[in-house]
Structure formats: structure tokens, C-alpha cells
Amino acid sequence: MDAEKQPLRIGLIGFGCVGQGFYDILQAQSGLDLAITRIAVKNPTKPRMLPAERFSYHADELLNDLELDLLIEVIDDPDEAFRLVSTALRQGRRVVTANKAMLARHLPELVQLQTQFGGTLLYEAAVCGSIPVIRTLDNYFIHEPLRAVSGIFNGSSNYVLTRMSAQGFGYGPALAEAQAKGFAETDPTLDMGAFDPRSKAVILAAHAYGVFLDADEVLNLGIEGIGAGDMARAAAQGRKIKVVAAVQRLPNGHVTALVTPQLVGPDSPLYTVEHEFNGVAIEAVYAGTQFLTGRGAGGHPTGSAVLADVLALQRGLRYGYTKQATAPEAQLTTELELNAYVSHPDASVLREVLTWLELPAEALRTDAHGAYAEGSVAVQQLWSWRKELRTNGIFVAREGSIRAAAPVAEAVAAVWA
Ligand SMILES: NC(=O)c1ccc[n+]([C@@H]2O[C@H](COP(=O)([O-])OP(=O)(O)OC[C@H]3O[C@@H](n4cnc5c(N)ncnc54)[C@H](O)[C@@H]3O)[C@@H](O)[C@H]2O)c1
Ligand SMILES: N[C@@H](CCO)C(=O)O
């Protein structure tokens, strides 16, 4: 047989939700010159849809098989994923990964390995499932200055919020559903605590601005503290609670990122993004704002993004990382402030929170659902008290853009209006 007619030989590492999703899609399509030649799994005793002889039980066997044209890494262990992906890149190979936690920690090194050894890594599936946002930023907005890239980057927490608000579900049952449907991470605190959308924000910062942010220095607050009372208050105001991640260029030219729950109204495109769907707004200086939406989690949507990367690799696509050359400085969220809403069923707990956040005691209100308060809060305070805010299940929402703290707050608000 003519060597050029051989299908691309794929080594698939990980056969969970995403691995099987990718496998299903490939089985259902004809005419693609692709073959899943080897599959590596971890657990030899787990019942699977394919006969045992289809599997290897050591991913290193796939790394050592240089007949494989391309490796796909879709396991749930970020450290092992980094070992596998970085080894493959040192071999100069073509690799696809969906592992955002691993990418957010190691992106600079993975970029450097591609330059040094000539391999290629694509990872569209790692950010917002089936939405082609990385490619849009990397290929289309190559020279366009961007004001912000923001939106709903986590399907599981959005699913839980949708079930709680529209269908009156409790937090626990809603999360159990998100897990059963394959949306949640193996450790769901990554989703509910907004660590997962923070990883995605870090990855998008690299493609939108050429900046490699340190994930540990990006403030992320999740939805563990949100209760029926918060849902009822939001609904009474005609708003919904969404976890919004934002990477944005500040008027001083620096880039910053933040992930928090937010109260959004019907004027926001995020208002109608429900269940496991994600939505990304790209605010470009000349093109204006574009909004991308689609399924952000699940085996088939994510498998579809993996397939798109495989086909792109077949055509020779690489990310350009062109904005790295002119990357602005990253700025941590200090010196910024936002409109905060905090709540707790117990007023005495909330009183203490107000002192942490330097909000006046008079801001405290109570209603049938418990205690809440609203006011302008320095992000530095949220940062300092982030562990306590999480442990106490305090819900902090923001509304509108974060802004530089006084005395430039008014000027900044005008720029962003
Ligand atoms: N589920 C989604 O919607 C989704 C979406 C985008 C990205 N991702 C990412 O894709 C990756 C896989 O997610 P998933 O939902 O398929 O998880 P999963 O838990 O369903 O499957 C992961 C599989 O990897 C296996 N595994 C772990 N270590 C392994 C090793 N060393 N060798 C071989 N197999 C190993 C596990 O046993 C498990 O079966 C994760 O990084 C996740 O963050 C998931
Ligand atoms: N756990 C992730 C999977 C998609 O990255 C989510 O719920 O968005």
C-alpha cells in the first residue's frame, strides 16, 4: 500500500468520558484517514465497551511506539499528563491534550519544548469544550488589540446554577447530576470552587495577550456558598447568578484576570447561557464584541474538539503565540475594586465578613432568606480573605467590570463605559 494512503495512527491515552467520546465520534464517521491504533488505560479490571486486547495498561508503551503518528492525552491526572505530554514533545511529536489544569501550570515550558524539539501541541478541548475560542484568538485576532475575553468557562457550575434557579434543585442533587453526565472533574471542587475556569482564563490570557499568568495569583471564588436565598434575591431583581471569568487589559495597559460569581441581567449575553453551555465574549478594539457559545463540557462535545485538533494537526496547524513578543505586563488584582454582593444565612457571620471586606456595618440587610450586603470592595481585600470566604461559604458576586481603585476609578469607568 502507498505509504501516503496509510491512515494517521493515533495513540489514545485515557478512555474515560472524553476518550470514549472521541472514540464514538470517530466510529460514527467515515472517510477520515484516522485510526485509533492503540489505547492506554489505567485500571485493568474496569469493564469496558471494547475487548481487553484493545488496551495497553502502561501509557509509556504508547510513548515508546514511534510508529504512532499522533498522541492524544485525555487522562484526569495533571502531573502524569505533564510527564506524558512533555516527554512526547521532547520526542518532537504531535500531541493533543484536553488537560487545562496541566496546561495552566506548564504552558511556558510546553511552548518552549515545541520550539526546541519541533513537535506540536494543540488543546482546543481544554477551554470551553466545543467552542473554538483558542483558535479564534490565536489565528483570527493575531494583530487585533483586545479589551477583554470573558464569560462562562465552566459547564458544571453553570449546570448546577441553572438547575438551582430554574428548576429549584438543591446544590447537592444538582452537582450529582453534573457528575453523572460527565461534566464535572474527578475532583468537583475544581469546578464548584472556580479553579477550573481559572485554569481556562490563564490559557486564554496566553492566546489573547501573550501573557503567562501564574494561576495561583489569580483570584477565583466559586459557588459553594450560593443558596436558595441568593437565587430568590437575584430572580426578584430579574437577574441570574453566573460564574464569570474575565481576562482584561486595564487602562494602564496591564493585563489582569479574575473569576467570581456575578449577577447578570437580561442585557448580558451570558443571561441565556444555561446548563453545561459556555459563552465567551471577545471584546476587540476594532472588530467590536463577538460572542461565541456552545457546549462547554461532556464527552461528545469535548471529543469533537479533540477531533478538530487531530484534523488540524494533520493539516500542519500550530499555535502561533504571536502576541508573546509584545506581551503587556500582568497585573494582579490588587489596586482594583468591584461591586460586591455578599450573603450568609447567619447575620453574625456576615457582620465579620463586612469587617474583612472593609464594608460599613450599615451595609448589612436582612430579609426572609437571611443576611446580605452590597458595596464597593477592594479586590485586595477579597484576595487577603479568600480562604475564609471560601471556608465560610460566602457568596461574593460582582456586577459590571472590575475597575481601578480611587482616585482613578471615575476615569476608568468612563473608558470602559
Ligand atoms: N469531561 C469533560 O467534559 C471535559 C471537558 C474538557 C476537558 N476535560 C479534561 O479531559 C481530561 C479527561 O477528562 P474525562 O472527563 O474524560 O475524565 P474521566 O475521569 O472520565 O477519564 C479519565 C480517565 O483517565 C484514566 N487515567 C488516569 N491516569 C491514567 C494513566 N496514567 N494512563 C491511562 N489512563 C489514565 C482514568 O482511569 C479515567 O478512566 C481531563 O483533563 C479533563 O479536565 C474534560
Ligand atoms: N469540568 C469542566 C469540563 C470542561 O472543561 C466543566 O465543567 O466545564
Side-chain angles (χ1 to χ4, degrees):
M1 199 184 199
D2 182 348
E4 288 199 352
K5 295 245 167 85
Q6 293 272 6
L8 196 81
R9 287 158 301 198
I10 296 172
L12 178 61
I13 307 176
F15 202 59
C17 180
V18 177
Q20 288 184 46
F22 171 73
Y23 182 92
D24 285 352
I25 294 171
L26 216 56
Q27 297 315 299
Q29 312 252 14
S30 57
L32 295 175
D33 273 343
L34 307 175
I36 301 177
T37 310
R38 302 188 73 168
I39 306 174
V41 293
K42 188 166 84 171
N43 182 351
T45 56
K46 191 166 155 184
R48 299 180 202 277
M49 64 197 248
L50 297 175
E53 55 272 20
R54 279 292 272 129
F55 298 104
S56 305
Y57 298 97
H58 300 285
D60 282 5
E61 290 175 9
L62 275 61
L63 278 180
N64 295 335
D65 184 348
L66 299 179
E67 303 252 291
L68 294 171
D69 299 305
L70 188 150
L71 293 172
I72 298 174
E73 177 283 301
V74 280
I75 68 173
D76 57 351
D77 172 348
D79 294 334
E80 177 64 357
F82 177 63
R83 189 186 72 78
L84 295 168
V85 170
S86 59
T87 305
L89 290 178
R90 278 199 185 82
Q91 296 169 328
R93 300 176 83 161
R94 292 181 281 181
V95 188
V96 174
T97 180
N99 200 316
K100 51 273 160 129
M102 182 273 286
L103 289 162
R105 299 253 167 246
H106 298 288
L107 200 49
E109 187 176 346
L110 296 171
V111 172
Q112 190 265 327
L113 286 174
Q114 293 174 72
T115 309
Q116 189 177 350
F117 296 98
T120 313
L121 177 65
L122 297 184
Y123 42 83
E124 191 64 72
V127 180
C128 299
S130 62
I131 303 175
V133 59
I134 297 178
R135 240 181 273 177
T136 303
L137 292 172
D138 204 83
N139 295 351
Y140 184 82
F141 287 111
I142 297 178
H143 295 294
E144 175 97 8
L146 302 178
R147 290 205 171 92
V149 180
S150 64
I152 296 170
F153 296 175
N154 184 266
S156 302
S157 52
N158 202 46
Y159 185 89
V160 168
L161 290 172
T162 304
R163 291 297 260 165
M164 286 175 73
S165 70
Q167 288 105 3
F169 265 56
Y171 175 87
L175 172 56
E177 269 194 5
Q179 291 177 290
K181 287 172 181 279
F183 303 150
E185 299 300 307
T186 304
D187 172 4
T189 57
L190 297 177
D191 299 293
M192 301 302 124
F195 294 92
D196 175 80
R198 179 178 76 169
S199 293
K200 292 162 176 166
V202 167
I203 297 167
L204 292 190
H207 292 275
Y209 297 106
V211 173
F212 295 110
L213 298 172
D214 178 346
D216 288 333
E217 294 186 341
V218 174
L219 178 65
N220 60 304
L221 296 167
I223 64 166
E224 302 97 325
I226 293 178
D230 301 304
M231 293 291 177
R233 272 187 215 110
Q237 297 171 8
R239 294 193 284 179
K240 291 179 186 168
I241 301 168
K242 299 288 180 188
V243 177
V244 180
V247 185
Q248 54 197 255
R249 189 189 283 271
L250 299 169
N252 66 8
H254 295 180
V255 165
T256 200
L258 185 70
V259 190
T260 71
Q262 182 175 351
L263 290 159
V264 300
D267 51 338
S268 164
L270 301 180
Y271 187 78
T272 50
V273 176
E274 301 280 48
H275 295 102
E276 77 276 23
F277 280 70
N278 286 184
V280 188
I282 301 172
E283 295 171 48
V285 169
Y286 302 111
T289 299
Q290 299 185 346
F291 186 68
L292 310 175
T293 188
R295 288 181 200 280
H300 285 154
T302 313
S304 158
V306 170
L307 175 58
D309 274 354
V310 168
L311 296 173
L313 280 177
Q314 211 176 17
R315 294 194 308 274
L317 181 89
R318 324 171 50 88
Y319 296 138
Y321 300 103
T322 41
K323 293 193 171 173
Q324 239 187 298
T326 54
E329 241 179 86
Q331 179 170 333
L332 304 181
T333 38
T334 55
E335 296 173 41
L336 301 169
E337 61 183 34
L338 50 76
N339 298 324
Y341 158 96
V342 286
S343 80
H344 200 277
D346 182 345
S348 63
V349 174
L350 194 62
R351 232 169 255 122
E352 193 177 352
V353 174
L354 297 189
T355 61
W356 297 343
L357 301 183
E358 297 183 357
L359 280 171
E362 305 79 68
L364 192 142
R365 306 261 177 282
T366 49
D367 63 12
H369 308 294
Y372 69 99
E374 291 180 277
S376 186
V377 166
V379 176
Q380 176 64 58
Q381 294 304 110
L382 295 175
W383 178 260
S384 307
W385 293 97
R386 64 194 185 284
K387 290 197 182 67
E388 290 77 2
L389 289 169
R390 284 200 194 105
T391 321
N392 285 286
I394 302 297
F395 164 42
V396 181
R398 73 187 175 89
E399 180 188 357
S401 299
I402 55 171
R403 56 187 183 276
V408 281
E410 278 175 28
V412 171
V415 170
W416 284 354

